[in-house]
Amino acid sequence: MTDQVSIVVLTGGVGGAKLVEGLSRIVDPDRICAVVNTGDDFDHFGLRICPDIDTLVYTLAGLADPVRGWGRVDETWNFMFALEQLGAPAWFSLGDRDLAMHVLRSQRLNMGESLSSITLDHSRRLGVDMHIAPMSDFQVATKIHTDHGVLDFQAYFVEHRCLPVIRSISFAGSGHARPSVAVVEALRSPNLEAIIIAPSNPWLSIDPILAVPDIKRLIEAAEVPVIAVTPLPGGRAVKGPTAKIMDELGIEKSAQSIVD
């Protein structure tokens, strides 16, 4: 039960998954709840894709590809090859093994099951003991306002490879979203000792979580230390577009400016 949680981690993407994996080696995974960004989620070929959730699940299950950092290890690509033969766009790759996750998730969502319930079941079946909680069971979509117009997150991040200049970022649907039950229980846990903000992209991975009404309020009401791990050690991004985004938004590249 998430009311036994002592550490909550706000996370998204590869960097956050690595921190959560490391934390699970020194803290009982059953005492950790990872609150995962779902602003990246989107529908592709009729399937619901949840990149940050799947990256964390695969990482904790020991199934993540260590070279790409996303998807499953020892992946094959027959499905994508067949799609390309039929003229379908191939800018977002879906591996043959990874496809099983998306197909079953989409089927269960269409039958009315919540993303939280599906995520819990899939993670447990893959041997993950940690509580993995989508930030919300409502759909929230990160929108990137650029010099090329408004782009969905995956179009900006994958199809356009983060090249368009960012003017601003918004989160469609966030105003009506609510935290998932597991998130509320974890942040209200009587055993809660700390909240950690992973070194995920502050604007693309952490801000979508905080944009969900009540999550920021629950964090402030928890009265426990909130520890933010900088994504800019020494003022430089390890990977990803964090530094580029800060330059384009006119923000100083420092840990303090991210906190502010």
Side-chain angles (χ1 to χ4, degrees), residues 56-71:
L56 182 56
V57 171
Y58 290 152
T59 298
L60 295 175
L63 299 173
D65 188 304
V67 177
R68 294 194 309 271
W70 54 269

Side-chain angles (χ1 to χ4, degrees), residues 61-102:
L63 299 173
D65 188 304
V67 177
R68 294 194 309 271
W70 54 269
R72 293 186 61 149
V73 70
D74 298 327
E75 188 61 276
T76 54
W77 305 95
N78 297 300
F79 175 72
M80 290 306 303
F81 177 71
L83 282 178
E84 290 184 73
Q85 283 186 312
L86 295 172
W91 59 268
F92 192 91
S93 296
L94 297 172
D96 300 331
R97 291 178 173 83
D98 186 33
L99 194 60
M101 183 81 83
H102 310 311

Side-chain angles (χ1 to χ4, degrees), residues 19-121:
L19 179 139
V20 174
E21 180 186 30
L23 185 63
S24 70
R25 296 180 181 181
I26 59 175
V27 178
D28 182 354
D30 195 49
R31 294 174 53 207
I32 303 170
C33 178
V35 178
V36 187
N37 166 46
T38 59
D40 298 6
D41 297 4
F42 75 123
D43 293 318
H44 195 52
F45 297 121
L47 302 175
R48 189 64 180 170
I49 315 297
C50 303
D52 286 358
I53 289 176
D54 293 348
T55 293
L56 182 56
V57 171
Y58 290 152
T59 298
L60 295 175
L63 299 173
D65 188 304
V67 177
R68 294 194 309 271
W70 54 269
R72 293 186 61 149
V73 70
D74 298 327
E75 188 61 276
T76 54
W77 305 95
N78 297 300
F79 175 72
M80 290 306 303
F81 177 71
L83 282 178
E84 290 184 73
Q85 283 186 312
L86 295 172
W91 59 268
F92 192 91
S93 296
L94 297 172
D96 300 331
R97 291 178 173 83
D98 186 33
L99 194 60
M101 183 81 83
H102 310 311
V103 169
L104 289 176
R105 176 193 294 123
S106 301
Q107 180 190 47
R108 294 171 70 167
L109 285 171
N110 289 336
M111 293 174 65
E113 191 172 350
S114 71
L115 180 60
S116 292
S117 173
I118 297 165
T119 301
L120 176 63
D121 182 51

Side-chain angles (χ1 to χ4, degrees), residues 187-199:
L187 288 172
R188 288 179 173 170
S189 169
N191 299 296
L192 189 63
E193 298 176 1
I195 298 168
I196 299 174
I197 300 176

Side-chain angles (χ1 to χ4, degrees), residues 124-199:
R124 291 293 188 261
R125 289 179 183 276
L126 292 177
V128 177
D129 295 327
M130 187 181 299
H131 305 281
I132 299 177
M135 65 188 197
S136 178
D137 287 316
F138 292 73
Q139 290 189 13
V140 176
T142 299
K143 301 290 184 179
I144 314 298
H145 302 251
T146 77
D147 58 347
H148 289 187
V150 181
L151 300 174
D152 291 336
F153 174 85
Q154 296 299 341
Y156 167 78
F157 193 76
V158 181
E159 185 176 14
H160 294 281
R161 302 182 181 181
C162 304
L163 293 177
V165 176
I166 289 183
R167 305 303 186 197
S168 63
I169 303 170
S170 62
F171 309 106
S174 63
H176 300 289
R178 294 292 178 268
S180 64
V181 172
V183 170
V184 175
E185 289 181 349
L187 288 172
R188 288 179 173 170
S189 169
N191 299 296
L192 189 63
E193 298 176 1
I195 298 168
I196 299 174
I197 300 176

